[in-house]
Amino acid sequence: MRWLSKFFKGGSSNRGQAGGTHRRPPQFTGDENMVLGAPVRSLDNRSRTDKEKEEFDRAISISLAEGLKKPNGFGWRPNNEDDHSKAVQDDPHSSYPPYVPREYQPMGYRVCGGCNRDIGYGNYLGCMGAFFHPECFRCRGCRYPITEHEFSLSGKDAYHKTCFKELTHPKCEVCLQFIPTNGAGLIEYRCHPFWSQKYCPVHEHDNTARCCSCERLESVNTRYVSLGDGRSLCLDCMESAIMDTGDCQPLYHTIRDYYEGMNMKLDQQIPMLLVEKQALNEAIVGEKQGFHHMPETRGLCLSEEQTVASIQKKPKIGGHGLIGMRTQPQKLTRRCEVTAILVLYGLPRLLTGAVLAHELMHSWLRLKGYRNLNPEVEEGICQVLSHMWLESEITPGSGSSSTLAAPSSSSSSSSASKKGGKSRVENKLGEFFMHQIANDTSAAYGGGFRAANAAVNMYGLRRTLDHIRLTGSFPM
């Protein structure tokens, strides 16, 4: 009879896999990305002797009941253990022990969902329809075991709450902290429509520096350059910034060539000066005509005689600002309908060129006798020329001049040949400046551009300009 005892001792080992306590199903408080309750943790505190005795008594009862159903001589027999063992070895078709009912196989057999091994005696965790050794229930993010009472779930992957927050909670790109929730418990942040820079709403009002060119906010791990007139410039824009009037002359002549290549030559030699913001604002006040996009005005087509402080010596970067700038007063006399073109200093090359293209269109209109145009028409067509020039710089051979009646191919090709290769950063800035023009919300600059651009796309630039001369409006 000792063989039966040995068998059920082995059986009790498997029986222990079922766990000794009633298990409750995993407690889910929500779907994906929600915080969950702790997984079920089981610990059988009964001694092994008590469990074995209970199982042994049950096995004997079942075996005796089965023996009563068998033919005579096929039931329980207290034979000598050695003789019985020999009989079992001689019979290759016998089972050992012979009278264990099938329904007594372990019903709580558990395989660890982490290591795929038998869990056996001891603690186990029940979660997501599976069972785990405590050390096998690990965070998908850091791969360390999850021992806290709460964890986060994404699909079938479990995470520590801190790991899940690190992976999914947005961080402010200005202060580099987790973006806080608002009074309603929702994550609220601002996002730039082009750069997708995410930041806390408070940074719009806490004097955080914003680049005057690309509009991105300064982060705690970068420093912008102060231009000394209330403007700041990021390092990407600083890379191609034009700082004085002399340095801007080649770009100015390139854009004049661009106009000439479209049969829109400017016959007058119009002075062009780079100035500080204060000098530009003073010149705007002295102008008796014209519509200006305040406070974002970056250029001006002067019609009146004025004295303007032009930047003659390029400043150098000292610390986080500029030093060594030298300005010189310059008296502008009126020889034609246009006195001079003024542009803010310190803007990157493509933005400076876009401003020049806009102001040169104002000059062309005045020199060609376009009078008393309403702001939407004049600013709109000027923005179209600015957008066209940017497109020609970013996508050479884009065919912007195809909108004209008779473009000069030789001039266009000579202009294109002067263009050097641009960095990825500069091209991205050019795309942003085009995005700014296309999505401007003002009636004159934004609405005017969209109306003018639609007319040029349908009728061409030359026919659109002729219609403006005759009617003062865009062709419908």
Side-chain angles (χ1 to χ4, degrees), residues 180-199:
T181 56
N182 60 18
L186 302 175
I187 299 172
E188 180 184 358
Y189 58 86
R190 301 289 182 266
C191 184
H192 193 281
F194 182 84
W195 302 106
S196 298
Q197 183 188 36
K198 298 182 179 67
Y199 54 92

Side-chain angles (χ1 to χ4, degrees), residues 11-303:
S12 69
S13 177
N14 290 332
R15 177 69 176 166
Q17 297 165 16
T21 61
H22 294 289
R23 60 187 179 88
R24 52 189 173 86
Q27 297 180 0
F28 295 91
T29 61
D31 293 326
E32 182 171 304
N33 298 348
M34 298 297 290
V35 176
L36 305 178
V40 178
R41 302 174 183 269
S42 175
L43 176 61
D44 196 338
N45 294 321
R46 294 183 299 162
S47 66
R48 181 170 297 192
T49 302
D50 293 341
K51 290 186 287 185
E52 290 177 351
K53 183 177 183 303
E54 178 185 330
E55 292 174 350
F56 183 78
D57 291 343
R58 180 168 180 254
I60 291 176
S61 299
I62 294 174
S63 181
L64 289 175
E66 287 293 314
L68 295 175
K69 300 176 185 178
K70 304 295 180 180
N72 290 337
F74 199 72
W76 178 272
R77 294 181 300 172
N79 291 348
N80 181 276
E81 180 179 344
D82 295 335
D83 293 341
H84 183 76
S85 298
K86 185 177 184 301
V88 170
Q89 292 172 5
D90 292 342
D91 185 2
H93 301 291
S94 65
S95 60
Y96 180 81
Y99 309 124
V100 178
R102 180 176 298 177
E103 60 268 23
Y104 185 63
Q105 298 301 321
M107 300 299 291
Y109 185 74
R110 294 184 177 89
V111 174
C112 177
C115 66
N116 294 320
R117 291 184 295 177
D118 181 13
I119 290 179
Y121 284 110
N123 293 346
Y124 70 87
L125 307 177
C127 182
M128 300 179 292
F131 302 97
F132 300 86
H133 295 108
E135 65 274 12
C136 293
F137 188 62
R138 294 175 177 266
C139 172
R140 177 74 173 178
C142 68
R143 310 306 302 174
Y144 283 99
I146 298 175
T147 59
E148 293 82 0
H149 291 292
E150 291 183 335
F151 62 98
S152 296
L153 185 66
S154 177
K156 294 184 178 180
D157 298 325
Y159 295 85
H160 293 110
K161 291 176 64 177
T162 54
C163 293
F164 190 75
K165 184 176 182 180
E166 188 71 31
L167 289 172
T168 62
H169 193 112
K171 278 189 174 181
C172 174
E173 297 179 35
V174 174
C175 63
L176 306 184
Q177 303 298 315
F178 288 117
I179 296 176
T181 56
N182 60 18
L186 302 175
I187 299 172
E188 180 184 358
Y189 58 86
R190 301 289 182 266
C191 184
H192 193 281
F194 182 84
W195 302 106
S196 298
Q197 183 188 36
K198 298 182 179 67
Y199 54 92
C200 305
V202 67
H203 298 312
E204 292 188 333
H205 313 290
D206 63 358
N207 296 323
T208 298
R210 185 187 294 271
C211 178
C212 66
S213 167
C214 69
E215 298 183 347
R216 286 176 288 187
L217 291 174
E218 181 184 48
S219 67
V220 295
N221 58 358
T222 60
R223 299 297 297 174
Y224 285 4
V225 177
S226 173
L227 295 179
D229 56 3
R231 296 178 295 144
S232 296
L233 203 64
C234 73
L235 299 183
D236 284 348
C237 292
M238 191 72 191
E239 185 179 293
S240 62
I242 298 179
M243 291 296 185
D244 64 34
T245 300
D247 281 350
C248 193
Q249 295 303 317
L251 177 61
Y252 178 47
H253 291 296
T254 295
I255 297 172
R256 288 181 65 107
D257 290 343
Y258 176 77
Y259 271 76
E260 186 174 347
M262 295 191 298
N263 291 330
M264 297 175 65
K265 183 178 180 180
L266 289 99
D267 299 322
Q268 301 293 329
Q269 293 299 318
I270 304 170
M272 189 278 304
L273 305 176
L274 252 60
V275 298
E276 293 181 273
K277 185 176 180 179
Q278 182 179 356
L280 183 65
N281 290 339
E282 290 174 354
I284 291 173
V285 173
E287 229 6 53
K288 296 179 181 178
Q289 63 177 353
F291 181 85
H292 308 292
H293 195 12
M294 295 294 289
E296 294 87 8
T297 299
R298 292 162 171 161
L300 178 65
C301 179
L302 277 179
S303 297

Side-chain angles (χ1 to χ4, degrees), residues 168-455:
T168 62
H169 193 112
K171 278 189 174 181
C172 174
E173 297 179 35
V174 174
C175 63
L176 306 184
Q177 303 298 315
F178 288 117
I179 296 176
T181 56
N182 60 18
L186 302 175
I187 299 172
E188 180 184 358
Y189 58 86
R190 301 289 182 266
C191 184
H192 193 281
F194 182 84
W195 302 106
S196 298
Q197 183 188 36
K198 298 182 179 67
Y199 54 92
C200 305
V202 67
H203 298 312
E204 292 188 333
H205 313 290
D206 63 358
N207 296 323
T208 298
R210 185 187 294 271
C211 178
C212 66
S213 167
C214 69
E215 298 183 347
R216 286 176 288 187
L217 291 174
E218 181 184 48
S219 67
V220 295
N221 58 358
T222 60
R223 299 297 297 174
Y224 285 4
V225 177
S226 173
L227 295 179
D229 56 3
R231 296 178 295 144
S232 296
L233 203 64
C234 73
L235 299 183
D236 284 348
C237 292
M238 191 72 191
E239 185 179 293
S240 62
I242 298 179
M243 291 296 185
D244 64 34
T245 300
D247 281 350
C248 193
Q249 295 303 317
L251 177 61
Y252 178 47
H253 291 296
T254 295
I255 297 172
R256 288 181 65 107
D257 290 343
Y258 176 77
Y259 271 76
E260 186 174 347
M262 295 191 298
N263 291 330
M264 297 175 65
K265 183 178 180 180
L266 289 99
D267 299 322
Q268 301 293 329
Q269 293 299 318
I270 304 170
M272 189 278 304
L273 305 176
L274 252 60
V275 298
E276 293 181 273
K277 185 176 180 179
Q278 182 179 356
L280 183 65
N281 290 339
E282 290 174 354
I284 291 173
V285 173
E287 229 6 53
K288 296 179 181 178
Q289 63 177 353
F291 181 85
H292 308 292
H293 195 12
M294 295 294 289
E296 294 87 8
T297 299
R298 292 162 171 161
L300 178 65
C301 179
L302 277 179
S303 297
E304 305 296 329
E305 292 189 352
Q306 295 191 40
T307 300
V308 178
S310 172
I311 297 176
Q312 298 298 315
K313 181 181 178 182
K314 179 191 304 184
K316 298 180 181 179
I317 299 177
H320 298 301
L322 298 176
I323 57 175
M325 179 187 295
R326 187 175 66 196
T327 61
Q328 179 178 340
Q330 187 163 343
K331 183 174 178 60
L332 301 173
T333 58
R334 183 172 180 175
R335 295 184 175 89
C336 60
E337 290 294 323
V338 181
T339 306
I341 291 175
L342 308 182
V343 179
L344 281 177
Y345 91 99
L347 302 178
R349 176 185 176 276
L350 288 179
L351 181 54
T352 303
V355 174
L356 279 171
H358 179 101
E359 300 304 331
L360 273 174
M361 189 59 189
H362 279 300
S363 303
W364 188 89
L365 291 172
R366 294 179 190 178
L367 292 173
K368 296 299 180 181
Y370 287 73
R371 305 288 184 183
N372 303 318
L373 297 177
N374 66 57
E376 183 175 342
V377 173
E378 182 166 352
E379 299 299 344
I381 198 66
C382 291
Q383 286 290 75
V384 166
L385 267 294
S386 181
H387 193 275
M388 287 171 59
W389 180 81
L390 282 170
E391 187 177 19
S392 72
E393 287 288 303
I394 296 171
T395 313
S398 60
S400 296
S401 60
S402 63
T403 56
L404 294 171
S408 171
S409 59
S410 60
S411 297
S412 296
S413 60
S414 65
S415 177
S417 66
K418 296 178 183 179
K419 300 167 190 171
K422 297 178 185 62
S423 68
R424 181 186 60 83
V425 171
E426 190 173 8
N427 274 327
K428 193 67 176 177
L429 284 172
E431 292 173 8
F432 167 67
F433 302 141
M434 292 175 64
H435 174 272
Q436 271 190 314
I437 293 173
N439 294 276
D440 195 302
T441 58
S442 68
Y445 286 78
F449 165 76
R450 288 182 282 276
N453 194 52

